[in-house]
Amino acid sequence: MVARFTKGQCQPCPARAQCTSSKEGARNVGFPPRELRDLQLRARAEQQTPDWKARYAVRSGIEGTMNEFAHGHGMRRCRYRGEPKAHVQHVLMAIAVNIERLSSRLVTDETSPARPPTSFQTFLDQQGFHRSKSWRTLGT
């Protein structure tokens, strides 16, 4: 359901600044069906719980990398047709990004301090899953 207000109805309203930031236009207000609204309210309430925030923190570890691939390396579109060729492109791009990241590290004689674990690694540790030590966490 959508409520539409004309320019003549919207302009003289004293609460217009709270309703819209449009200088000239009218206002359209959408009301979702009751089931959808209830679902949104439940989802928003769940997002405030510590359990949901802990699960969502796992996702945050990969978001930066996915953004780098999509925006920095053009991975939203494949250069090749077919799933096998697209898979090869993704694997080769991941290898190139890893090489790029490794080559940007400073080479020193002394060992650098271990990086703190990512939120995903912390989650695995809390759940008791074994995770292999990577080059980032050698010695820990």
Side-chain angles (χ1 to χ4, degrees):
M1 178 195 292
V2 177
R4 299 179 195 278
F5 299 94
T6 64
K7 190 175 179 180
Q9 293 170 322
C10 227
Q11 288 291 352
C13 179
R16 187 174 197 296
Q18 296 170 339
C19 193
T20 182
S21 60
S22 172
K23 302 289 185 213
E24 299 291 326
R27 175 84 165 130
N28 295 330
V29 182
F31 299 98
R34 182 177 302 277
E35 298 83 23
L36 179 59
R37 176 73 177 146
D38 292 344
L39 182 63
Q40 286 175 332
L41 291 174
R42 281 196 309 270
R44 288 177 183 153
E46 181 187 359
Q47 290 172 1
Q48 303 306 314
T49 64
D51 289 339
W52 188 90
K53 289 180 180 183
R55 285 186 321 224
Y56 193 75
V58 172
R59 179 180 171 180
S60 68
I62 192 64
E63 286 294 325
T65 301
M66 296 303 292
N67 186 48
E68 177 185 351
F69 274 94
H71 297 287
H73 302 289
M75 291 301 289
R76 288 201 185 272
R77 299 209 183 254
C78 289
R79 295 173 183 247
Y80 309 103
R81 289 181 180 241
E83 193 173 330
K85 291 179 185 177
H87 177 69
V88 170
Q89 178 186 349
H90 294 156
V91 170
L92 292 175
M93 184 61 70
I95 291 170
V97 168
N98 284 337
I99 291 171
E100 181 182 31
R101 288 178 177 180
L102 284 171
S103 66
S104 68
R105 289 180 52 109
L106 295 175
V107 179
T108 60
D109 292 335
E110 59 190 52
T111 59
S112 61
R115 284 178 52 177
T118 64
S119 55
F120 181 67
Q121 291 169 333
T122 303
F123 173 78
L124 291 178
D125 292 341
Q126 290 171 348
Q127 300 301 317
F129 289 105
H130 173 73
R131 61 177 175 90
S132 60
K133 302 294 182 189
S134 70
W135 59 271
R136 295 179 180 178
T137 58
L138 288 176
T140 60

